[in-house]
Structure formats: C-alpha cells, structure tokens
Amino acid sequence: MTKTRPKNSPLSFLERKNIFKYIQQGLTLSKIGPLIERGKNSVVFEVRRNEGREIYDPKIAQAASQQRKNEADDKRWKIKIVIWNSAFMSMDQKTVI
C-alpha cells in the first residue's frame, strides 16, 4: 500500500534529491514528474524557482522552501494577532459606552 500525500503538499527533501539525480542523468523536467509521482508543472516550477537546471541544488532548494514556510507562518500569526487585538479593542470600546 502506497502512502498518499495531501493534494498540493510541498516537495520533500527526498523528492528534491530525486529531481537533482534525474537532472544529472539528463532527463527532461516533464519526464521527471511521473518518476517522482508529481505533475510536470510541479517539477518545472520547483526547478525554475531554484535557479534552473544548471545549478539546481536540493539542499539549497529545501532550505529556501523552509524559509518561505517560516515567513508565511510568521505572517499568519501577525495577522491573527492584529485581528485579535482589533476585536479586543472593539469589545473594550463597547463596554465603555
């Protein structure tokens, strides 16, 4: 039984290493997609986002992905704090009246 991953899940480090390996073997990006059980556009986007075929590095790509995730998480928390603060302030104003 194969393990299924959620739709639109980020690439794993193993998938990035496999992309690198297949690029080194000279495979096209559209042929790499099915080999790692991803769409060809996922592979194309991944490689373009991380400097292209010639200098693609799975370690750098993984680190960049983690950094983008951390920045997105920080942004979500900041938005939640602003929403909570504004809700708290409006509650405070209602009790004063």
Side-chain angles (χ1 to χ4, degrees):
M1 179 186 225
T2 59
K3 184 178 176 184
T4 59
R5 65 183 183 293
K7 191 174 182 173
N8 299 327
S9 64
L11 291 170
S12 68
F13 183 58
L14 178 60
E15 289 171 315
R16 288 186 170 96
K17 285 177 24 179
N18 285 332
I19 289 171
F20 178 73
K21 176 180 75 171
Y22 293 134
I23 287 173
Q24 296 300 309
Q25 292 175 2
L27 271 66
T28 64
L29 299 179
S30 61
K31 289 188 177 174
I32 294 172
L35 292 173
I36 63 167
E37 298 179 1
R38 293 285 188 152
K40 76 171 189 170
N41 289 337
S42 297
V43 176
V44 169
F45 186 74
E46 168 69 12
V47 172
R48 283 185 184 165
R49 169 183 252 179
N50 293 289
E51 308 299 329
R53 290 181 65 96
E54 292 76 29
I55 57 174
Y56 181 81
D57 184 330
K59 292 177 189 172
I60 294 171
Q62 183 70 24
S65 174
Q66 187 63 47
Q67 183 176 359
R68 285 188 300 271
K69 180 190 178 306
N70 291 344
E71 288 169 359
D73 288 347
D74 289 347
K75 186 176 181 181
R76 274 193 288 277
W77 273 108
K78 287 177 185 173
I79 290 170
K80 287 179 182 179
I81 289 169
V82 168
I83 291 170
W84 185 83
N85 284 340
S86 64
F88 182 73
M89 293 300 288
S90 66
M91 284 175 38
D92 225 18
Q93 290 171 355
K94 288 178 184 174
T95 56
V96 172
I97 297 174

